[in-house]
């Protein structure tokens, strides 16, 4: 074992979260569809971007209308440029670190790989993923494939890209297509839902939002504000209502109104709280009873700035609700974006989107090659 691992690395402890309210009332009021808003102030945890950043809620075609726009992939050069701009702090750590390691080096030896190992750890790739990469590079070195720094850098890019490759996102095969979004408090669930709904509106689809976060103060009102901004109806009940009941009513409304996509907002919960994770399972079962096969996707939202704690969250949420994809937010605010590689490698869950800013179009579909090129230069 290399000198870096003589002491076992401790995984950061999860940030404590507040306990939720007690049992919901036995009889729930009918869900409401959010109407015009009287308040323009966001909730206390996730602030909407400044006015003008969200696209206007232009009228979309009727649900049954033909000609729904396919989501055109962003040209690779444009995506690469955006990633490079927004992932600059991670690039400074990795690309800058590589340049320092390679200074004065004409040949690659075990000492260079030792330095690279330390660099990858500092970028939050974690022990397991770092060792996997270093072992692969060591094998290449033994086969004399890494004769100079440029070849080492190219080999590292290839290994990282292979770790991040995943099958494409599933094409919606049901209508409505139901997406359950989960995660702890403060990761940006509500704003991410708004960005996903905005993308759908741009394609001519009709999203519907379900406010199943009935525990956090102002959570419903916050989702209403976002729904109003992006032109998506919000199904809600009063604070403290049974989240499963809200989901049932929301899916009923989606079926009757011909919605194309349903996004279910859930209460932020600490991944170590068993009773809260059981509540998520109940929501999942309720969705499946109302619409067979639902939820069709379970997206876990992780805050990239939390580093290795994001990895422990991914493991436990996946165990509870079978996560199908990950959205990494706040990637523009961290120098430890290497956690993306750790999460993908150690959980096997594909990364679907990266949040690289506050604007509506700053939620970008994940593209492995562009991401690796952006962080390694």
């Amino acid at each position: 074992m290399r000198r870096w691992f003589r002491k076992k690395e401790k995984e950061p402890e999860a940030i404590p979260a507040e306990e939720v309210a007690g049992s919901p009332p036995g009889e729930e009021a009918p869900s409401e569809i959010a109407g015009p808003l009287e308040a323009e102030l966001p909730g206390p945890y996730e602030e909407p971007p400044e006015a003008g950043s969200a696209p206007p809620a232009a009228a979309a075609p009727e649900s049954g209308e033909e000609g729904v726009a396919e989501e055109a992939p962003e040209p690779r050069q444009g995506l690469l440029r955006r990633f490079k701009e927004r992932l600059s702090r991670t690039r400074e750590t990795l690309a800058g670190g590589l340049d320092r390691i390679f200074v004065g080096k004409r040949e690659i030896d075990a000492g260079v790989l030792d330095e690279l190992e330390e660099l990858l750890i500092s970028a939050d790739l974690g022990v397991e993923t770092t060792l996997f990469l270093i072992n692969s590079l060591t094998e290449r070195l033994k086969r004399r494939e890494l004769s100079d720094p440029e070849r080492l850098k190219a080999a590292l890019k290839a290994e990282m890209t292979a770790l991040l490759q995943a099958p494409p996102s599933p094409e919606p095969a049901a209508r409505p297509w139901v997406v359950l979004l989960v995660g702890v408090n403060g990761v940006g669930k509500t704003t991410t839902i708004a960005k996903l709904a905005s993308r759908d509106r741009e394609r001519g689809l009709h999203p519907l939002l379900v406010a199943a976060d009935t525990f956090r103060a102002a959570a419903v009102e916050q989702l209403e504000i976002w729904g109003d901004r992006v032109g998506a109806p919000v199904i809600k009940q009063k604070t403290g209502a049974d989240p499963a009941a809200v989901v049932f009513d929301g899916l009923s409304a989606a079926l009757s109104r011909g919605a194309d996509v349903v996004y279910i907002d859930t209460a932020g919960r600490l991944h170590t709280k068993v009773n809260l994770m059981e509540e998520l399972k109940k929501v999942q079962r309720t969705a499946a009873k109302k619409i067979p096969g639902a939820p069709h996707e379970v997206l876990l939202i992780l805050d990239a700035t939390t580093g290795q704690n994001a990895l422990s969250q991914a493991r436990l949420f996946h165990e509870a609700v079978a996560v199908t994809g990950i959205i990494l937010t706040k990637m523009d605010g961290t120098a430890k974006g290497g956690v993306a590689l750790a999460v993908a490698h150690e959980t096997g869950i594909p990364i679907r989107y990266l949040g690289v800013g506050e604007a509506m179009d700053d939620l970008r579909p994940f593209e492995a090659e562009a991401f690796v090129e952006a962080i390694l230069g």
Side-chain angles (χ1 to χ4, degrees):
M1 182 69 67
R2 298 176 182 277
R3 54 191 170 86
W4 183 265
F5 302 112
R6 287 176 183 171
K7 295 183 179 181
K8 184 178 180 182
E9 181 177 273
K10 290 184 66 179
E11 190 175 56
E13 295 182 358
I15 301 171
E18 295 181 355
E19 295 288 337
V20 298
S23 300
E27 185 173 348
E28 302 298 339
S31 299
E32 301 174 7
I33 300 175
L37 301 178
E38 296 179 359
E40 288 298 323
L41 295 176
Y45 295 100
E46 301 167 298
E47 296 185 358
E50 296 179 1
S53 63
E62 293 299 321
S63 298
E65 200 173 301
E66 294 184 359
V68 172
E70 293 291 335
E71 184 176 16
E74 184 171 357
R76 190 172 186 278
Q77 289 302 316
L79 184 63
L80 178 58
R81 182 174 61 253
R82 184 184 291 259
F83 276 1
K84 282 187 174 180
E85 290 172 356
R86 303 303 175 88
L87 301 175
S88 59
R89 294 183 64 183
T90 298
R91 187 171 68 255
E92 287 169 8
T93 298
L94 282 172
L98 280 176
D99 290 342
R100 290 188 290 274
I101 290 173
F102 293 157
V103 168
K105 302 286 196 315
R106 293 186 178 181
E107 294 183 356
I108 303 302
D109 56 23
V112 172
L113 294 186
D114 281 342
E115 293 182 64
L116 177 59
E117 184 178 283
E118 296 185 16
L119 174 63
L120 297 180
I121 287 289
S122 72
D124 244 14
L125 272 75
V127 174
E128 185 176 326
T129 303
T130 295
L131 285 178
F132 178 86
L133 291 170
I134 293 299
N135 289 340
S136 297
L137 294 174
T138 300
E139 291 301 315
R140 290 183 181 231
L141 182 62
K142 290 177 180 178
R143 296 195 298 269
R144 300 183 182 276
E145 296 176 8
L146 307 178
S147 57
D148 56 58
E150 284 305 312
R151 291 193 178 185
L152 173 57
K153 190 172 183 178
L156 181 60
K157 284 183 179 181
E159 294 289 346
M160 285 184 167
T161 301
L163 280 185
L164 293 168
Q165 293 287 7
S169 298
E171 288 295 326
R175 185 165 174 265
W177 186 255
V178 181
V179 183
L180 179 67
L181 291 105
V182 300
V184 302
N185 277 329
V187 296
K189 282 192 304 298
T190 308
T191 51
T192 298
I193 287 173
K195 292 174 182 180
L196 290 168
S198 176
R199 293 174 66 86
D200 289 339
R201 292 285 290 168
E202 289 175 357
R203 297 168 58 201
L205 297 175
H206 289 255
L208 182 142
L209 314 183
V210 178
D213 181 356
T214 60
F215 297 114
R216 180 169 65 86
V220 173
E221 291 81 359
Q222 184 182 343
L223 191 64
E224 286 182 279
I225 291 173
W226 278 116
D228 185 63
R229 290 194 177 197
V230 302
V234 177
I235 304 301
K236 64 175 184 175
Q237 283 188 13
K238 61 186 178 183
T239 300
D242 181 359
V246 183
V247 169
F248 186 88
D249 288 348
L251 296 183
S252 297
L255 289 168
S256 65
R257 300 170 194 283
D260 297 301
V261 187
V262 177
Y263 294 107
I264 302 174
D265 188 17
T266 59
R269 58 203 68 225
L270 200 62
H271 49 288
T272 54
K273 297 293 184 182
V274 176
N275 60 321
L276 299 183
M277 299 303 278
E278 288 299 321
E279 185 65 54
L280 270 184
K281 294 179 183 179
K282 180 181 176 183
V283 165
Q284 202 172 32
R285 291 193 300 269
T286 299
K289 287 179 182 178
K290 185 62 182 177
I291 299 178
H296 304 102
E297 289 186 86
V298 179
L299 299 181
L300 171 62
I301 303 178
L302 298 173
D303 179 349
T305 65
T306 62
Q308 290 294 298
N309 193 36
L311 180 57
S312 64
Q313 291 173 28
R315 287 172 175 151
L316 291 171
F317 273 99
H318 187 45
E319 181 181 339
V321 291
V323 174
T324 62
I326 286 173
I327 300 176
L328 278 171
T329 62
K330 308 180 187 180
M331 287 292 291
D332 55 321
T334 181
K336 296 188 174 184
V339 70
L341 289 117
V343 169
H345 175 234
E346 296 186 37
T347 68
I349 306 170
I351 298 173
R352 295 304 186 196
Y353 293 92
L354 290 185
V356 293
E358 294 297 325
M360 284 288 108
D361 64 350
D362 282 335
L363 183 69
R364 311 307 305 172
F366 183 73
E367 207 279 317
E369 291 183 359
F371 176 78
V372 172
E373 183 66 29
I375 63 175
L376 287 185

